[in-house]
């Protein structure tokens, strides 16, 4: 097999769509699996709808997902001259012809075809002599589609798909203003970029038959097509705004890790036995087009959450710390102090066990920041009634006397205090927890106190007494 070259060819009209991200991922994996190239082409020919911001959003989304492309991103619009040359070459070779029909004539012919139950092929000038056109009249260039036979595309995902050539219209390849149509631009670019495999959404399957004819007309190799089913929402309907987040950046904001996203998008339409957790390294090793499903995949946030939880737990300690640190610095609007960072690095492994999304983790980690006096949740406030405040005061004193601040010593101090006061352990622990955490989700209390440190713990207890 010659070197594999794939491409992702988004139209920059908004954000990086979640379905587009999956298409990009499959192209990337396929190229990486085969040691080939993965190219990026921005299909920015629709000047009215393409914006710089949308291009930036796509590049940003790709970078966030760590889908690195080879070479520089190619702008389709910048290649218009080349597209035009190809149209003229097709004209010169008799594979295309000039069409002088006006918009009105075409509309009329379309109407007649419909009334007669025929396919409209736009072929008013196919067999006419251009000399019949008025001097200097504007014309577009149309491809001369074959009328006989049929074409079978051996789609790597859909299997063999056959279309009768008679169903194809003589589509315009170059408009009368000299601009290329999308259908022409895609084929010329795919050829010039040396694309061997076109992996894209199955909403482009019909286009493949029209594009095939341009490849043929130019005598170019036709790439392998692989049309992947679209993503549907949980309700089985095509993914749309109603289903919520469509852009990749929304997933970054919701606190998903890029590796979790890759794993999720990979499984959304591709499988490897019963494996759910598939690292990127394994994905590169295993990815193939044969195992892409033929049915539409359903988007499922619970699955994504579970995978994200897995990757949060797997996350390298330093990276997780830096993510949480910047999250906290954002919410607190200040830099974290050394002591806070130290507490975080000790607390994070346990916190990571429970988190599904990063904001949740940041929220639970905020417990370890200097934010005295803490705000109390309603539940915590209810637990800190007047009659427990003397207990807190005494326990603070007891903990102040501790000379070696570590788990077993702290625990022993609290237990002996409870015993001396003739209180059930819970009656002591519960108000301590409420005062020290303010009611935030927290794990093992003694461990929390240990990590918070002696001064901070006593400070938080005394804040309540003083309040
Ligand atoms: N620009 C097209 C789109 O965003 C993709 C074209 C292609 O992959 O051939 O849907």
């Amino acid at each position: 097999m010659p070197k594999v070259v794939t491409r992702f060819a988004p139209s920059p009209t908004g954000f990086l769509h979640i379905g587009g991200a999956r298409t990009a991922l499959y192209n990337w994996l396929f190229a990486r699996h085969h040691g080939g190239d993965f190219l990026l082409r921005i299909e920015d020919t629709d000047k009215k709808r393409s914006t710089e911001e949308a291009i930036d959003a796509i590049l940003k989304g790709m970078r966030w997902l760590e889908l690195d492309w080879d070479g520089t991103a190619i702008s389709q619009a910048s290649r218009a001259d080349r597209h035009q040359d190809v149209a003229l070459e097709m004209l010169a070779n008799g594979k295309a012809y000039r069409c002088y029909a006006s918009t009105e004539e075409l509309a009329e012919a379309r109407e007649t075809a419909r009334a007669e139950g025929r396919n409209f092929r736009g072929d008013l000038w196919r067999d006419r002599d251009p000399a019949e056109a008025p001097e200097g009249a504007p014309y577009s260039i149309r491809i001369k589609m074959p009328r006989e036979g049929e074409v079978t595309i051996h789609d790597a995902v859909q299997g063999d798909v056959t279309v009768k050539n008679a169903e194809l219209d003589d589509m315009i390849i170059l408009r009368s203003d000299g601009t290329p149509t999308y259908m022409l631009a895609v084929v010329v670019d795919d050829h010039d970029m040396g694309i061997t495999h076109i992996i894209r959404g199955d909403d482009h399957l019909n286009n493949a038959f029209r594009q095939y004819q341009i490849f043929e007309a130019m005598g170019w190799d036709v790439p392998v097509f692989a049309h992947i089913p679209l993503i549907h929402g949980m309700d089985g309907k095509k993914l749309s705004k109603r289903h919520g987040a469509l852009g990749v950046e929304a997933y970054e904001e919701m606190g998903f890790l890029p590796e979790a996203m890759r794993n999720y998008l990979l499984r959304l339409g591709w499988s490897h036995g019963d494996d759910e957790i598939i690292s990127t390294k394994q994905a590169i090793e295993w990815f193939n087009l044969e195992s892409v499903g033929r049915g539409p995949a359903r988007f499922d946030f619970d699955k994504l959450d579970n995978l994200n939880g897995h990757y949060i737990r797997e996350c390298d300690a330093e990276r997780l710390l830096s993510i949480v640190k910047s999250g906290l610095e954002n919410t607190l609007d200040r830099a974290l102090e050394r002591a806070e960072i130290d507490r975080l690095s000790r607390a994070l492994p346990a916190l990571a066990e429970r988190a599904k999304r990063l904001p949740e983790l940041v929220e639970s980690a905020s417990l370890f920041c200097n934010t005295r006096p803490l705000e109390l949740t309603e539940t915590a406030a209810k637990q800190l009634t007047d009659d427990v405040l003397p207990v807190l005061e005494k326990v603070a004193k007891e903990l102040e006397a501790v000379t070696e601040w570590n788990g077993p010593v702290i625990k022993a101090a609290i237990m002996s205090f409870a015993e001396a006061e003739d209180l059930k352990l819970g009656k002591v622990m519960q108000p301590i927890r409420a005062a020290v955490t303010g009611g935030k989700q927290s794990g093992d209390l003694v461990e929390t106190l240990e990590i918070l440190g002696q001064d901070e713990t006593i400070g938080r207890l005394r804040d309540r007494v003083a309040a």
Side-chain angles (χ1 to χ4, degrees):
M1 177 149 77
K3 180 171 169 175
V4 164
V5 184
T6 65
R7 53 44 163 206
F8 175 48
S11 307
T13 52
F15 37 52
L16 175 53
H17 190 280
I18 193 77
R22 186 187 57 158
T23 300
L25 173 70
Y26 286 12
N27 277 285
W28 181 81
L29 286 172
F30 191 73
R32 296 293 171 255
H33 174 84
H34 289 283
D37 284 344
F38 167 63
L39 308 182
L40 178 60
R41 178 172 76 229
I42 306 292
E43 303 211 311
D44 50 355
T45 47
D46 185 342
K47 294 263 165 38
K48 275 183 244 117
R49 293 176 63 216
S50 307
T51 64
E52 274 307 312
E53 295 83 72
I55 295 175
D56 288 346
I58 289 169
L59 300 185
K60 190 165 167 267
M62 297 280 288
R63 289 197 185 102
W64 179 66
L65 283 170
E66 295 163 314
L67 301 178
D68 56 321
W69 57 94
D70 298 292
T72 38
I74 289 167
S75 146
Q76 185 159 67
S78 74
R79 295 179 34 82
D81 288 351
R82 164 71 178 149
H83 303 147
Q84 191 177 46
D85 286 349
V86 171
L88 295 176
E89 198 177 322
M90 284 174 64
L91 186 62
N93 295 342
K95 304 288 186 186
Y97 62 91
R98 293 190 178 92
C99 168
Y100 293 92
S102 65
T103 322
E104 296 74 36
E105 285 170 316
L106 286 165
E108 208 186 302
R110 182 176 288 119
E111 228 1 88
T112 315
R114 189 179 333 184
E116 292 172 5
R118 283 186 289 113
N119 270 346
F120 174 65
R121 297 205 187 103
D123 52 1
L124 276 65
W125 280 80
R126 184 175 169 118
D127 302 315
R128 278 180 75 175
D129 183 350
E132 291 172 29
E135 222 5 73
Y139 61 87
S140 55
I141 297 182
R142 287 180 184 270
I143 183 171
K144 201 179 251 176
M145 283 290 183
R147 285 289 158 74
E148 310 295 320
E150 54 185 34
V151 167
T152 298
I153 285 180
H154 308 288
D155 191 281
V157 172
Q158 309 284 334
D160 285 358
V161 190
T162 303
V163 164
K164 287 200 175 54
N165 291 335
E167 286 172 24
L168 306 173
D169 64 325
D170 287 0
M171 67 194 172
I172 295 177
I173 53 175
L174 201 72
R175 297 186 193 92
S176 56
D177 63 2
T179 58
T181 56
Y182 166 70
M183 216 57 81
L184 175 70
V186 168
V187 174
V188 176
D189 290 350
D190 282 337
H191 170 74
D192 289 0
M193 289 161 73
I195 304 303
T196 58
H197 293 74
I198 295 179
I199 306 167
R200 62 186 175 192
D202 66 8
D203 48 338
H204 287 284
L205 181 59
N206 285 335
N207 289 343
F209 289 90
R210 308 172 91 199
Q211 293 167 358
Y212 177 94
Q213 297 296 346
I214 302 179
F215 281 106
E216 282 289 301
M218 289 301 293
W220 292 339
D221 285 344
V222 183
V224 173
F225 288 105
H227 287 95
I228 56 183
L230 299 184
I231 302 176
H232 286 189
M234 278 297 265
D235 55 2
K237 302 220 171 79
K238 197 180 144 193
L239 207 58
S240 73
K241 279 203 194 107
R242 281 181 307 110
H243 295 100
L246 287 183
V248 160
E249 85 285 343
Y251 291 83
E252 181 181 2
E253 268 163 40
M254 281 187 270
F256 294 107
L257 288 168
E259 59 269 40
M261 226 42 222
R262 285 197 298 272
N263 189 156
Y264 181 69
L265 290 175
L266 170 67
R267 284 285 298 107
L268 199 57
W270 181 87
S271 57
H272 182 267
D274 291 332
D275 292 319
E276 288 296 342
I277 291 172
I278 302 174
S279 72
T280 301
K281 194 164 163 279
Q282 286 170 324
I284 292 174
E285 212 169 287
W286 294 338
F287 190 77
N288 60 0
L289 294 173
E290 295 77 47
S291 307
V292 174
R294 282 199 197 183
R298 284 190 191 212
F299 203 93
D300 179 346
F301 266 104
D302 286 341
K303 275 195 180 165
L304 177 54
D305 276 331
N306 285 334
L307 278 174
N308 205 49
H310 167 81
Y311 284 101
I312 288 178
R313 292 191 292 279
E314 292 270 294
C315 192
D316 168 74
E318 214 169 294
R319 176 169 162 231
L320 198 60
L321 177 63
S322 126
I323 293 173
V324 171
K325 179 171 170 281
S326 66
L328 285 169
E329 292 185 334
N330 262 338
T331 19
L332 298 174
D333 199 21
R334 65 167 171 85
L336 292 192
E337 290 164 27
R338 190 68 250 167
E340 295 174 298
I341 297 171
D342 288 344
R343 284 180 210 141
L344 287 179
S345 42
R346 293 176 65 189
L348 278 181
L351 296 179
E353 285 300 316
R354 295 188 306 264
K356 290 250 160 44
R357 298 188 190 180
L358 295 171
E360 220 179 288
L361 183 63
V362 170
E363 165 64 18
S364 61
S366 66
L367 175 64
F368 295 95
C369 293
N370 297 329
T371 48
R372 290 179 46 203
L374 302 191
E375 263 179 52
L376 300 183
T377 62
E378 221 173 290
T379 324
K382 265 191 208 141
Q383 287 168 347
L384 292 169
T385 47
D386 282 348
D387 56 312
V388 303
L389 297 184
V391 176
L392 286 185
E393 191 168 7
K394 281 192 232 169
V395 97
K397 207 164 191 160
E398 208 67 34
L399 291 174
E400 209 169 23
V402 166
T403 50
E404 217 179 311
W405 192 258
N406 65 42
V409 176
I410 299 167
K411 191 165 184 186
I414 296 174
M415 281 172 79
S416 73
F417 169 80
E419 215 173 290
E421 294 287 317
D422 202 17
L423 287 168
K424 277 200 188 131
L425 193 56
K427 288 277 172 216
V428 182
M429 295 289 245
Q430 198 190 45
I432 297 179
R433 186 186 285 278
V436 165
T437 67
K440 270 199 192 356
Q441 276 280 333
S442 54
D444 182 76
L445 181 62
V446 172
E447 195 184 317
T448 303
L449 302 185
E450 184 185 349
I451 295 173
L452 272 174
Q454 195 163 19
D455 289 350
E456 183 69 19
T457 299
I458 292 164
R460 290 187 187 187
L461 294 173
R462 294 231 158 104
D463 284 345
R464 300 297 35 126
V465 179

